[in-house]
Amino acid sequence: MRHALLPRPLIRALLLLLAVLALPARPSAAFEIEGHAIFGDPDAVRMLRVLSVADVDVFGPVIEAFRAGYPEVSVDYTVASSAEIMTAIAEERVPFDVVISSAMDLQTKLANDGFARPHRSTATLALPDWARWRDDLFAFTQEPAAIVLSRAAFAGRPLPETRQALISAMRDAPELFRDRVGTYDLRSSGLGYLFATQDARTSEVYWRLTEVMGALGTRLYCCSSEMIDDVASGDLAIAYNVLASYALSRADLTKVAIVLPEDFSTVMLRTALVPQNAPDPGLAGRFVDFLLTSSWSSADVPQSPLSVSSAVFLTNRDRFRRIRLGPELLVYLDEFKRRRFLQAWEDAILQD
């Protein structure tokens, strides 16, 4: 019995098709990375993969302190926005060992939707109830939102210590502050959206403040570090809801004033979780335990390098409004509520 031979052009085409199909599948859209660094030997046998919103230079000392106890471990550290972290973990399922974020609501959603791997240890069990959610999400900092002011812009003027005082300052001298006020772009900043919704829940003054800022042509930012840079350079006179921890870590504090509002200061908890698909969950658990044991010197205030000094919290307790971990954070992630909140915010801040 004779077999029919295929024409050579068709054979080549089939071989090419098979070769293409054999290639590893690539995602249609990869999450966006803002920074990346490897601490230690890039070819190390043991590699911890961390995905975080904190800048490399901010979180680097924490990683080096961890590696001092585990010198054989290298750390692959990737920086992305909180929204991109959601894309990486919930949509693309990129394998990271630990996820760290300041967007408590988005972290809670990841855990609530089943993307967190439970972790139990003496370190996690020793946390106060407000610093953990189930066995999935663990807080290792307390970081208040601050108003960062240019000392040069406020020379000869009293520094506003409350939101109402800030409103009065901007209304009294609009020519000084026009195009020189900055805050988060809530449409793209997970932390900015979290702070804004918490502020709005706490006091109606938030919306009056937003309208006044909008009338002055407020500039919108992705992150605290860029706002602080522009205040220090004099491009901005005011930055609202900046992370105090970032501002206090700078060397040029003579150029900026950091105000924790006396009416209330919203406090974010930076959290860590171990994803379900962590390549090395055992090592991930050790890193989470390191964050917790090195941060919690007492049951009251965590002492991570990113936390504000415990003295600030212990002497000014009444002004602080700590955001609570838990499912109530999911309220403003509801698509309808989020769309309605952002529409109200856009109407106030994007004035023509």
Side-chain angles (χ1 to χ4, degrees):
M1 180 176 178
R2 298 183 62 183
H3 297 278
L5 298 178
L6 294 175
R8 288 187 177 180
L10 181 56
I11 293 175
R12 285 197 296 269
L14 288 173
L15 290 174
L16 179 60
L17 176 61
L18 290 172
V20 171
L21 292 174
L23 292 173
R26 301 182 63 182
S28 57
F31 77 102
E32 294 185 10
I33 293 174
E34 296 180 356
H36 180 257
I38 294 179
F39 295 80
D41 182 0
D43 298 319
V45 174
R46 205 85 184 268
M47 179 76 75
L48 178 76
R49 291 168 174 81
V50 178
L51 179 61
S52 170
V53 297
D55 296 341
V56 173
D57 58 339
V58 172
F59 209 75
V62 178
I63 294 174
E64 293 293 10
F66 171 74
R67 292 194 64 250
Y70 298 92
E72 75 283 3
V73 174
S74 293
V75 178
D76 187 305
Y77 187 77
T78 300
V79 181
S81 71
S82 54
E84 291 299 317
I85 285 177
M86 291 294 291
T87 299
I89 302 302
E91 296 179 20
E92 298 176 6
R93 313 293 175 92
V94 183
F96 284 96
D97 294 301
V98 178
V99 175
I100 295 169
S101 179
S102 52
M104 298 167 60
D105 50 353
L106 297 180
Q107 289 279 84
T108 301
K109 180 170 176 56
L110 283 176
N112 187 69
D113 292 351
F115 292 101
R117 182 187 185 98
H119 172 60
R120 291 173 66 88
S121 70
T122 55
T124 62
L125 295 175
L127 292 177
D129 290 342
W130 60 262
R132 54 180 290 185
W133 187 53
R134 304 188 311 200
D135 291 322
D136 299 333
L137 198 57
F138 310 100
F140 64 97
T141 73
Q142 283 193 121
E143 300 174 60
I147 304 169
V148 176
L149 307 169
S150 164
R151 291 189 181 276
F154 279 87
R157 299 172 180 272
L159 296 178
E161 297 289 344
T162 66
R163 288 167 180 79
Q164 187 57 56
L166 180 61
I167 289 172
S168 298
M170 292 188 290
R171 283 178 171 167
D172 292 345
E175 70 287 348
L176 175 62
F177 299 112
R178 189 169 305 281
D179 299 322
R180 299 185 66 204
V181 179
T183 192
Y184 293 104
D185 188 336
L186 305 194
R187 297 164 298 186
S188 57
S189 170
L191 177 60
Y193 182 75
L194 175 66
F195 276 154
T197 53
Q198 294 298 312
D199 281 7
R201 291 179 65 176
T202 303
S203 172
E204 291 182 359
V205 74
Y206 169 76
W207 289 114
R208 295 200 298 274
L209 174 61
T210 304
E211 289 175 354
V212 173
M213 291 194 298
L216 294 173
T218 290
R219 293 156 61 179
L220 303 178
Y221 290 77
C222 71
C223 43
S224 289
S225 55
E226 291 186 5
M227 280 189 271
I228 299 167
D229 286 342
D230 283 355
V231 173
S233 70
D235 289 342
L236 288 182
I238 301 167
Y240 180 72
N241 264 357
V242 170
L243 279 175
S245 54
Y246 275 38
L248 289 168
S249 67
R250 298 181 61 98
D252 50 1
L253 289 179
T254 56
K255 298 179 181 179
V256 303
I258 303 168
V259 173
L260 300 177
E262 292 179 355
D263 46 342
F264 67 91
S265 293
T266 304
V267 180
M268 171 273 292
L269 309 178
R270 194 176 298 264
T271 60
L273 63 79
V274 179
Q276 277 286 1
N277 62 341
D280 194 336
L283 184 59
R286 292 185 194 176
F287 185 70
V288 170
D289 288 349
F290 167 80
L291 293 177
L292 300 178
T293 55
S294 61
S295 298
W296 288 90
S297 57
S298 73
D300 206 19
V301 180
Q303 289 300 291
S304 162
L306 289 172
S307 279
V308 172
S309 168
S310 59
V312 173
F313 291 101
L314 297 176
T315 58
N316 300 280
R317 286 181 182 274
D318 292 342
R319 77 176 58 179
F320 293 111
R321 300 291 186 272
R322 184 192 299 124
I323 304 172
R324 293 179 60 86
L325 279 173
E328 60 270 20
L329 283 173
L330 303 178
V331 169
Y332 281 100
L333 295 183
D334 173 79
E335 188 58 36
F336 174 75
K337 286 185 170 61
R338 176 179 170 83
R339 186 165 58 247
R340 188 170 63 176
F341 188 92
L342 287 179
Q343 184 59 62
W345 174 80
E346 288 178 350
D347 291 344
I349 204 76
L350 301 178
Q351 300 176 30
D352 295 330

